[in-house]
Amino acid sequence: MKRLLALLAACVTALGLTGLLGPQAVAGPRAVAAAGCRVDYTVTSQWQGGFQAGVKITNLGAPVSGWTLTFALPDASQKIVQGWNATWSQSGSAVTATALDWNRTLATGAAADLGFTGSFTGANPKPTAFALNGVACTGSVEEPPPTTPGDGTPVGVNGRLHVCGVHLCNQYNRPVQLRGMSTHGIQWFSKCYNTASLDALAKDWKSDLLRIAMYVQEDGYETDPAGFTGRVNGLVDMAEARGMYAVIDFHTLTPGDPNYNLDRAKTFFASVAARNAGKKNVIYEIANEPNGVSWTAVKSYAEQVIPVIRAADPDAVIIVGTRGWSSLGVSDGSNESEVVNNPVNATNIMYAFHFYAASHKDAYRAAVSRAASQLPLFVSEFGTVSATGGGTLDRASTTAWLDLLDQLKISYANWTYSDAPESSAAFRPGTCDGGDYSSSGVLTESGTLLKSRISTPDSFPTS
């Protein structure tokens, strides 16, 4: 049950979306910030000899098309190890971060979220002398308070999640349902995931989660493991800063046997689990849609990847894909009994179920209804249209599905928070070239329906 990838691949060239995650720096800026900028610098975590920092730049001057941020590291031992959302370099104490193609434009008042990991042996003071295109950032250099319990955000209220029985439960050991959106492939639609769009997702859509779809093939992770790992980590940080959960999706699709990517999965999850182990907002999805393969093979893959995550992050929730494009085997003529009778040998896990409302109806809903009393389920991807990602929105079937998931307290992420040229997309084509991600003028029929469902109050239990 998947999108028309061949069509999308053709559209990549037509829309000029190639090379969004490449390491190339943009040639010199064409405009200069005339009235300065603001920088919010946050040390998000620190350990012996190392730290991770987020840098949010807000342009307070004229619109910028192409930018370079510079700053100084006050301690001689401080070194940039790895950065994301920019091309990073360091010479002595001077650090330079240059825009990538997808975030090179900063309108007046617009912001870009960057980040890096660093090392140090002495003190770890804040950087100084921030400048955007050579103009000093005097708006502020401040460290905003971290998300804390009680701040009203999904993560602030619920804290670190865990599986209890067949439910996803919060820090109060009460069942919760998360409702949110999935990105499209970040190699194609990276420009859709920026400060403005994630602000809109958190504040206007009131989304509980962002699923980060990192394709492994289709010009994805296998082409640039370090670059894609950095981009995923950057989006995790952006979700965390807004109090949303982040589902890290290892988006395997073709070939359908996840064991083909077993070594890649171990490498990727060892890295992201070690880096994000201290966060409360991370959920790992280890295989998107296994297809053309037995449940036994999927289970074997899961039982080899899960220990890699657990070695670094022993407490996080892990979502395991199921047979038949994560349909619990229904799309292959089977049913949930194969998982019920032969579950993955691991704890604190959930099983993925995916559906597309116009293609998957009563038989699929019946399987979910039966399985929900025996298995912890997470609908990590669904669409309002056909399994191709196109066609007409099926409002009746979508409503029946969402009502069922609400009733069973099953969490979900909709495909997709993007402006892809397909009817499953939440935004009309071209939306991600602007800054509006919420008004009726930019939403598709699917986006309008999902925003209305997601933005209703969560009423998370706290006692």
Side-chain angles (χ1 to χ4, degrees), residues 246-303:
V247 177
I248 298 178
D249 165 33
F250 195 69
H251 203 87
T252 52
L253 179 63
T254 304
D257 184 352
N259 291 287
Y260 177 83
N261 287 303
L262 179 60
D263 289 342
R264 294 184 184 94
K266 288 181 176 180
T267 299
F268 173 73
F269 283 111
S271 176
V272 294
R275 189 263 191 186
N276 296 304
K279 297 182 182 294
K280 298 178 181 179
N281 73 317
V282 175
I283 298 170
Y284 303 96
E285 183 176 4
I286 61 175
N288 166 59
E289 289 187 345
N291 59 88
V293 66
S294 69
W295 168 243
T296 300
V298 177
K299 178 175 180 284
S300 173
Y301 166 85
E303 290 177 349

Short mmCIF file of all heavy atoms in Angstrom, two decimals, residues 246-303:
data_model
loop_
_atom_site.label_atom_id
_atom_site.label_comp_id
_atom_site.label_asym_id
_atom_site.label_seq_id
_atom_site.Cartn_x
_atom_site.Cartn_y
_atom_site.Cartn_z
N ALA A 246 8.52 12.44 18.17
CA ALA A 246 9.13 12.20 16.87
C ALA A 246 9.23 10.70 16.64
O ALA A 246 9.84 9.99 17.45
CB ALA A 246 10.51 12.84 16.80
N VAL A 247 8.62 10.21 15.57
CA VAL A 247 8.74 8.81 15.18
C VAL A 247 9.83 8.74 14.11
O VAL A 247 9.67 9.30 13.02
CB VAL A 247 7.41 8.26 14.63
CG1 VAL A 247 7.59 6.81 14.17
CG2 VAL A 247 6.31 8.35 15.69
N ILE A 248 10.93 8.09 14.43
CA ILE A 248 12.02 7.93 13.48
C ILE A 248 11.73 6.70 12.63
O ILE A 248 11.82 5.56 13.10
CB ILE A 248 13.37 7.78 14.19
CG1 ILE A 248 13.69 9.04 15.00
CG2 ILE A 248 14.48 7.51 13.19
CD1 ILE A 248 15.00 8.97 15.78
N ASP A 249 11.34 6.94 11.38
CA ASP A 249 10.86 5.89 10.48
C ASP A 249 11.96 5.46 9.52
O ASP A 249 12.36 6.23 8.64
CB ASP A 249 9.64 6.42 9.72
CG ASP A 249 9.28 5.58 8.50
OD1 ASP A 249 9.49 4.35 8.55
OD2 ASP A 249 8.78 6.15 7.52
N PHE A 250 12.45 4.24 9.66
CA PHE A 250 13.39 3.63 8.73
C PHE A 250 12.55 3.11 7.57
O PHE A 250 12.06 1.99 7.58
CB PHE A 250 14.17 2.51 9.43
CG PHE A 250 15.40 2.04 8.71
CD1 PHE A 250 16.52 2.86 8.61
CD2 PHE A 250 15.47 0.76 8.19
CE1 PHE A 250 17.68 2.41 7.98
CE2 PHE A 250 16.62 0.30 7.56
CZ PHE A 250 17.72 1.13 7.46
N HIS A 251 12.38 3.96 6.54
CA HIS A 251 11.33 3.80 5.56
C HIS A 251 11.73 2.83 4.44
O HIS A 251 12.03 3.22 3.32
CB HIS A 251 10.95 5.17 4.98
CG HIS A 251 9.57 5.22 4.40
ND1 HIS A 251 8.44 5.51 5.13
CD2 HIS A 251 9.13 5.01 3.14
CE1 HIS A 251 7.39 5.51 4.36
NE2 HIS A 251 7.78 5.19 3.14
N THR A 252 11.74 1.54 4.79
CA THR A 252 12.02 0.50 3.80
C THR A 252 10.75 0.22 3.01
O THR A 252 9.66 0.17 3.55
CB THR A 252 12.50 -0.78 4.48
OG1 THR A 252 11.57 -1.15 5.52
CG2 THR A 252 13.87 -0.57 5.10
N LEU A 253 10.91 0.02 1.71
CA LEU A 253 9.76 -0.24 0.85
C LEU A 253 10.12 -1.21 -0.27
O LEU A 253 9.46 -2.23 -0.45
CB LEU A 253 9.25 1.08 0.25
CG LEU A 253 8.06 0.98 -0.69
CD1 LEU A 253 6.84 0.43 0.06
CD2 LEU A 253 7.74 2.33 -1.31
N THR A 254 11.16 -0.90 -1.02
CA THR A 254 11.63 -1.76 -2.10
C THR A 254 13.14 -1.91 -1.97
O THR A 254 13.84 -0.89 -2.01
CB THR A 254 11.29 -1.15 -3.47
OG1 THR A 254 9.88 -0.92 -3.54
CG2 THR A 254 11.70 -2.09 -4.60
N PRO A 255 13.68 -3.12 -1.78
CA PRO A 255 12.96 -4.39 -1.68
C PRO A 255 12.18 -4.52 -0.37
O PRO A 255 12.48 -3.86 0.61
CB PRO A 255 14.07 -5.43 -1.76
CG PRO A 255 15.29 -4.72 -1.24
CD PRO A 255 15.14 -3.30 -1.67
N GLY A 256 11.17 -5.41 -0.41
CA GLY A 256 10.25 -5.51 0.72
C GLY A 256 10.77 -6.29 1.91
O GLY A 256 10.21 -6.17 3.00
N ASP A 257 11.80 -7.09 1.72
CA ASP A 257 12.36 -7.86 2.83
C ASP A 257 13.27 -6.95 3.65
O ASP A 257 14.32 -6.52 3.16
CB ASP A 257 13.14 -9.06 2.31
CG ASP A 257 13.67 -9.96 3.43
OD1 ASP A 257 13.56 -9.57 4.61
OD2 ASP A 257 14.20 -11.04 3.11
N PRO A 258 12.92 -6.63 4.89
CA PRO A 258 13.76 -5.71 5.67
C PRO A 258 15.15 -6.25 5.92
O PRO A 258 16.08 -5.47 6.19
CB PRO A 258 12.98 -5.54 6.97
CG PRO A 258 12.09 -6.72 7.07
CD PRO A 258 11.74 -7.10 5.65
N ASN A 259 15.34 -7.57 5.82
CA ASN A 259 16.67 -8.13 6.05
C ASN A 259 17.68 -7.68 5.00
O ASN A 259 18.88 -7.73 5.24
CB ASN A 259 16.58 -9.66 6.08
CG ASN A 259 15.84 -10.16 7.31
OD1 ASN A 259 16.36 -10.10 8.42
ND2 ASN A 259 14.60 -10.60 7.11
N TYR A 260 17.20 -7.21 3.85
CA TYR A 260 18.10 -6.65 2.84
C TYR A 260 18.86 -5.46 3.40
O TYR A 260 20.00 -5.20 3.03
CB TYR A 260 17.28 -6.24 1.61
CG TYR A 260 18.09 -5.57 0.52
CD1 TYR A 260 18.79 -6.34 -0.41
CD2 TYR A 260 18.17 -4.19 0.42
CE1 TYR A 260 19.54 -5.74 -1.41
CE2 TYR A 260 18.92 -3.58 -0.58
CZ TYR A 260 19.60 -4.35 -1.48
OH TYR A 260 20.35 -3.76 -2.47
N ASN A 261 18.23 -4.73 4.31
CA ASN A 261 18.83 -3.53 4.90
C ASN A 261 19.25 -3.75 6.36
O ASN A 261 19.40 -2.78 7.10
CB ASN A 261 17.84 -2.37 4.83
CG ASN A 261 17.69 -1.81 3.43
OD1 ASN A 261 18.66 -1.41 2.81
ND2 ASN A 261 16.46 -1.82 2.91
N LEU A 262 19.45 -5.00 6.74
CA LEU A 262 19.75 -5.28 8.15
C LEU A 262 21.00 -4.56 8.63
O LEU A 262 20.98 -3.91 9.70
CB LEU A 262 19.91 -6.79 8.35
CG LEU A 262 20.25 -7.24 9.77
CD1 LEU A 262 19.17 -6.82 10.76
CD2 LEU A 262 20.45 -8.76 9.81
N ASP A 263 22.07 -4.62 7.89
CA ASP A 263 23.31 -3.95 8.33
C ASP A 263 23.13 -2.44 8.36
O ASP A 263 23.62 -1.76 9.28
CB ASP A 263 24.47 -4.33 7.41
CG ASP A 263 24.93 -5.77 7.59
OD1 ASP A 263 24.58 -6.37 8.63
OD2 ASP A 263 25.59 -6.31 6.68
N ARG A 264 22.45 -1.89 7.36
CA ARG A 264 22.19 -0.45 7.37
C ARG A 264 21.34 -0.07 8.58
O ARG A 264 21.57 0.96 9.22
CB ARG A 264 21.49 -0.03 6.08
CG ARG A 264 22.31 -0.19 4.82
CD ARG A 264 21.56 0.36 3.61
NE ARG A 264 22.28 0.13 2.37
CZ ARG A 264 22.10 -0.92 1.57
NH1 ARG A 264 21.19 -1.83 1.88
NH2 ARG A 264 22.81 -1.06 0.46
N ALA A 265 20.34 -0.89 8.88
CA ALA A 265 19.48 -0.60 10.02
C ALA A 265 20.26 -0.60 11.33
O ALA A 265 20.07 0.27 12.19
CB ALA A 265 18.33 -1.61 10.08
N LYS A 266 21.14 -1.56 11.48
CA LYS A 266 21.93 -1.63 12.71
C LYS A 266 22.82 -0.39 12.84
O LYS A 266 22.94 0.19 13.94
CB LYS A 266 22.78 -2.90 12.72
CG LYS A 266 21.98 -4.18 12.94
CD LYS A 266 22.91 -5.39 12.95
CE LYS A 266 22.16 -6.67 13.27
NZ LYS A 266 23.05 -7.85 13.28
N THR A 267 23.44 0.01 11.75
CA THR A 267 24.30 1.19 11.78
C THR A 267 23.49 2.44 12.10
O THR A 267 23.88 3.26 12.95
CB THR A 267 25.01 1.36 10.42
OG1 THR A 267 25.84 0.23 10.17
CG2 THR A 267 25.86 2.62 10.41
N PHE A 268 22.37 2.61 11.41
CA PHE A 268 21.54 3.81 11.60
C PHE A 268 20.98 3.87 13.02
O PHE A 268 21.09 4.91 13.70
CB PHE A 268 20.41 3.82 10.59
CG PHE A 268 19.40 4.92 10.81
CD1 PHE A 268 19.72 6.24 10.51
CD2 PHE A 268 18.14 4.65 11.33
CE1 PHE A 268 18.80 7.26 10.72
CE2 PHE A 268 17.22 5.66 11.54
CZ PHE A 268 17.56 6.97 11.24
N PHE A 269 20.37 2.80 13.48
CA PHE A 269 19.73 2.84 14.79
C PHE A 269 20.74 2.90 15.94
O PHE A 269 20.46 3.48 16.99
CB PHE A 269 18.75 1.68 14.95
CG PHE A 269 17.46 1.91 14.22
CD1 PHE A 269 17.14 1.15 13.11
CD2 PHE A 269 16.58 2.90 14.62
CE1 PHE A 269 15.95 1.37 12.42
CE2 PHE A 269 15.40 3.13 13.95
CZ PHE A 269 15.08 2.37 12.84
N ALA A 270 21.91 2.32 15.75
CA ALA A 270 22.95 2.48 16.78
C ALA A 270 23.31 3.95 16.93
O ALA A 270 23.50 4.46 18.05
CB ALA A 270 24.19 1.66 16.41
N SER A 271 23.37 4.66 15.81
CA SER A 271 23.74 6.08 15.84
C SER A 271 22.63 6.94 16.44
O SER A 271 22.88 7.72 17.36
CB SER A 271 24.06 6.55 14.42
OG SER A 271 24.32 7.94 14.38
N VAL A 272 21.40 6.81 15.92
CA VAL A 272 20.34 7.71 16.40
C VAL A 272 19.92 7.37 17.82
O VAL A 272 19.52 8.26 18.59
CB VAL A 272 19.12 7.71 15.45
CG1 VAL A 272 19.49 8.30 14.11
CG2 VAL A 272 18.51 6.33 15.30
N ALA A 273 20.01 6.10 18.21
CA ALA A 273 19.66 5.74 19.58
C ALA A 273 20.67 6.28 20.57
O ALA A 273 20.30 6.80 21.64
CB ALA A 273 19.54 4.22 19.72
N ALA A 274 21.96 6.20 20.24
CA ALA A 274 22.98 6.74 21.13
C ALA A 274 22.83 8.25 21.26
O ALA A 274 22.96 8.81 22.35
CB ALA A 274 24.37 6.38 20.61
N ARG A 275 22.53 8.90 20.17
CA ARG A 275 22.43 10.36 20.17
C ARG A 275 21.17 10.86 20.87
O ARG A 275 21.16 11.92 21.49
CB ARG A 275 22.47 10.83 18.72
CG ARG A 275 22.61 12.34 18.52
CD ARG A 275 21.28 12.98 18.27
NE ARG A 275 21.43 14.36 17.84
CZ ARG A 275 20.41 15.19 17.67
NH1 ARG A 275 19.18 14.79 17.88
NH2 ARG A 275 20.62 16.43 17.27
N ASN A 276 20.06 10.11 20.78
CA ASN A 276 18.77 10.59 21.29
C ASN A 276 18.28 9.87 22.53
O ASN A 276 17.13 10.06 22.94
CB ASN A 276 17.72 10.46 20.17
CG ASN A 276 18.03 11.34 18.97
OD1 ASN A 276 18.19 12.54 19.10
ND2 ASN A 276 18.15 10.73 17.81
N ALA A 277 19.13 9.07 23.15
CA ALA A 277 18.71 8.25 24.28
C ALA A 277 18.17 9.07 25.45
O ALA A 277 17.29 8.61 26.18
CB ALA A 277 19.86 7.37 24.75
N GLY A 278 18.67 10.28 25.62
CA GLY A 278 18.23 11.09 26.75
C GLY A 278 16.92 11.83 26.50
O GLY A 278 16.40 12.49 27.41
N LYS A 279 16.36 11.73 25.32
CA LYS A 279 15.15 12.47 24.98
C LYS A 279 13.90 11.68 25.36
O LYS A 279 13.88 10.45 25.29
CB LYS A 279 15.13 12.78 23.48
CG LYS A 279 16.27 13.68 23.04
CD LYS A 279 16.17 13.99 21.55
CE LYS A 279 17.34 14.85 21.08
NZ LYS A 279 17.33 16.19 21.69
N LYS A 280 12.85 12.42 25.71
CA LYS A 280 11.58 11.78 26.06
C LYS A 280 10.65 11.63 24.87
O LYS A 280 9.61 10.96 24.98
CB LYS A 280 10.87 12.61 27.13
CG LYS A 280 11.62 12.73 28.44
CD LYS A 280 10.85 13.61 29.42
CE LYS A 280 11.59 13.77 30.74
NZ LYS A 280 10.86 14.64 31.69
N ASN A 281 11.00 12.24 23.75
CA ASN A 281 10.02 12.34 22.66
C ASN A 281 10.26 11.38 21.50
O ASN A 281 9.55 11.46 20.50
CB ASN A 281 10.00 13.77 22.10
CG ASN A 281 11.24 14.11 21.28
OD1 ASN A 281 12.36 13.78 21.65
ND2 ASN A 281 11.03 14.79 20.15
N VAL A 282 11.21 10.46 21.61
CA VAL A 282 11.60 9.65 20.46
C VAL A 282 10.95 8.26 20.50
O VAL A 282 10.97 7.57 21.52
CB VAL A 282 13.13 9.51 20.37
CG1 VAL A 282 13.52 8.56 19.25
CG2 VAL A 282 13.76 10.88 20.14
N ILE A 283 10.38 7.88 19.36
CA ILE A 283 9.84 6.54 19.12
C ILE A 283 10.54 6.02 17.87
O ILE A 283 10.72 6.75 16.90
CB ILE A 283 8.32 6.58 18.90
CG1 ILE A 283 7.61 7.12 20.16
CG2 ILE A 283 7.77 5.21 18.52
CD1 ILE A 283 6.13 7.43 19.95
N TYR A 284 10.95 4.76 17.87
CA TYR A 284 11.67 4.19 16.74
C TYR A 284 10.76 3.25 15.94
O TYR A 284 10.14 2.35 16.50
CB TYR A 284 12.89 3.39 17.24
CG TYR A 284 13.86 4.20 18.07
CD1 TYR A 284 13.80 4.19 19.47
CD2 TYR A 284 14.83 5.00 17.47
CE1 TYR A 284 14.68 4.93 20.24
CE2 TYR A 284 15.72 5.76 18.23
CZ TYR A 284 15.63 5.71 19.62
OH TYR A 284 16.51 6.46 20.37
N GLU A 285 10.70 3.46 14.63
CA GLU A 285 9.96 2.57 13.73
C GLU A 285 10.98 1.89 12.82
O GLU A 285 11.57 2.53 11.96
CB GLU A 285 8.94 3.36 12.91
CG GLU A 285 8.09 2.48 12.00
CD GLU A 285 7.01 3.23 11.24
OE1 GLU A 285 6.96 4.48 11.36
OE2 GLU A 285 6.24 2.58 10.52
N ILE A 286 11.17 0.59 13.02
CA ILE A 286 12.36 -0.06 12.47
C ILE A 286 12.19 -0.60 11.05
O ILE A 286 13.20 -0.91 10.40
CB ILE A 286 12.86 -1.18 13.40
CG1 ILE A 286 11.80 -2.27 13.57
CG2 ILE A 286 13.28 -0.60 14.74
CD1 ILE A 286 12.29 -3.47 14.38
N ALA A 287 10.98 -0.73 10.55
CA ALA A 287 10.79 -1.18 9.16
C ALA A 287 9.41 -0.74 8.72
O ALA A 287 8.40 -1.24 9.22
CB ALA A 287 10.92 -2.70 9.05
N ASN A 288 9.35 0.14 7.76
CA ASN A 288 8.12 0.79 7.35
C ASN A 288 7.04 -0.18 6.86
O ASN A 288 6.03 -0.37 7.52
CB ASN A 288 8.44 1.81 6.26
CG ASN A 288 7.24 2.32 5.52
OD1 ASN A 288 6.34 2.88 6.12
ND2 ASN A 288 7.21 2.11 4.22
N GLU A 289 7.26 -0.82 5.73
CA GLU A 289 6.22 -1.68 5.14
C GLU A 289 6.84 -2.94 4.54
O GLU A 289 7.04 -3.03 3.33
CB GLU A 289 5.43 -0.91 4.07
CG GLU A 289 4.53 0.16 4.66
CD GLU A 289 3.62 0.81 3.61
OE1 GLU A 289 3.88 0.64 2.40
OE2 GLU A 289 2.65 1.47 4.02
N PRO A 290 7.12 -3.94 5.36
CA PRO A 290 7.60 -5.21 4.82
C PRO A 290 6.59 -5.77 3.81
O PRO A 290 5.39 -5.75 4.06
CB PRO A 290 7.70 -6.11 6.06
CG PRO A 290 7.85 -5.15 7.21
CD PRO A 290 7.02 -3.96 6.83
N ASN A 291 7.08 -6.25 2.68
CA ASN A 291 6.17 -6.79 1.66
C ASN A 291 6.88 -7.87 0.87
O ASN A 291 8.10 -7.85 0.71
CB ASN A 291 5.65 -5.69 0.74
CG ASN A 291 6.74 -4.94 0.01
OD1 ASN A 291 7.17 -5.33 -1.07
ND2 ASN A 291 7.23 -3.84 0.61
N GLY A 292 6.10 -8.85 0.41
CA GLY A 292 6.66 -9.98 -0.32
C GLY A 292 7.56 -10.85 0.53
O GLY A 292 8.48 -11.49 0.02
N VAL A 293 7.29 -10.89 1.81
CA VAL A 293 8.16 -11.60 2.75
C VAL A 293 7.31 -12.18 3.88
O VAL A 293 6.23 -11.65 4.18
CB VAL A 293 9.25 -10.65 3.30
CG1 VAL A 293 8.64 -9.56 4.17
CG2 VAL A 293 10.33 -11.38 4.06
N SER A 294 7.76 -13.25 4.49
CA SER A 294 6.99 -13.90 5.56
C SER A 294 7.10 -13.15 6.87
O SER A 294 8.05 -12.39 7.09
CB SER A 294 7.50 -15.33 5.76
OG SER A 294 8.80 -15.32 6.33
N TRP A 295 6.14 -13.40 7.77
CA TRP A 295 6.22 -12.82 9.10
C TRP A 295 7.45 -13.34 9.85
O TRP A 295 8.08 -12.61 10.61
CB TRP A 295 4.94 -13.12 9.90
CG TRP A 295 5.09 -12.80 11.36
CD1 TRP A 295 5.03 -13.66 12.41
CD2 TRP A 295 5.39 -11.51 11.94
NE1 TRP A 295 5.26 -13.01 13.60
CE2 TRP A 295 5.48 -11.69 13.35
CE3 TRP A 295 5.58 -10.24 11.41
CZ2 TRP A 295 5.76 -10.63 14.21
CZ3 TRP A 295 5.86 -9.19 12.28
CH2 TRP A 295 5.95 -9.39 13.66
N THR A 296 7.81 -14.60 9.60
CA THR A 296 8.99 -15.16 10.27
C THR A 296 10.25 -14.35 9.93
O THR A 296 11.08 -14.07 10.80
CB THR A 296 9.19 -16.63 9.85
OG1 THR A 296 8.03 -17.38 10.22
CG2 THR A 296 10.42 -17.22 10.52
N ALA A 297 10.36 -13.93 8.67
CA ALA A 297 11.52 -13.13 8.26
C ALA A 297 11.49 -11.75 8.88
O ALA A 297 12.52 -11.21 9.30
CB ALA A 297 11.57 -13.03 6.74
N VAL A 298 10.29 -11.14 8.95
CA VAL A 298 10.16 -9.82 9.57
C VAL A 298 10.52 -9.90 11.05
O VAL A 298 11.23 -9.05 11.60
CB VAL A 298 8.73 -9.27 9.38
CG1 VAL A 298 8.58 -7.92 10.09
CG2 VAL A 298 8.39 -9.15 7.91
N LYS A 299 10.01 -10.93 11.72
CA LYS A 299 10.29 -11.14 13.14
C LYS A 299 11.79 -11.33 13.39
O LYS A 299 12.35 -10.76 14.35
CB LYS A 299 9.51 -12.36 13.64
CG LYS A 299 9.73 -12.74 15.09
CD LYS A 299 8.81 -13.89 15.47
CE LYS A 299 8.99 -14.31 16.93
NZ LYS A 299 10.23 -15.09 17.14
N SER A 300 12.45 -12.09 12.52
CA SER A 300 13.90 -12.29 12.67
C SER A 300 14.64 -10.96 12.57
O SER A 300 15.57 -10.69 13.37
CB SER A 300 14.39 -13.26 11.59
OG SER A 300 15.80 -13.35 11.60
N TYR A 301 14.27 -10.15 11.62
CA TYR A 301 14.87 -8.82 11.47
C TYR A 301 14.68 -8.00 12.74
O TYR A 301 15.63 -7.40 13.27
CB TYR A 301 14.24 -8.12 10.27
CG TYR A 301 14.50 -6.63 10.17
CD1 TYR A 301 15.65 -6.14 9.57
CD2 TYR A 301 13.58 -5.71 10.67
CE1 TYR A 301 15.89 -4.77 9.47
CE2 TYR A 301 13.79 -4.34 10.58
CZ TYR A 301 14.95 -3.88 9.98
OH TYR A 301 15.16 -2.52 9.89
N ALA A 302 13.45 -7.96 13.24
CA ALA A 302 13.15 -7.16 14.43
C ALA A 302 13.99 -7.61 15.62
O ALA A 302 14.50 -6.79 16.40
CB ALA A 302 11.67 -7.25 14.75
N GLU A 303 14.14 -8.91 15.78
CA GLU A 303 14.86 -9.43 16.94
C GLU A 303 16.37 -9.22 16.84
O GLU A 303 17.08 -9.41 17.83
CB GLU A 303 14.51 -10.90 17.13
CG GLU A 303 13.06 -11.07 17.60
CD GLU A 303 12.61 -12.50 17.75
OE1 GLU A 303 13.34 -13.42 17.31
OE2 GLU A 303 11.52 -12.71 18.32
#
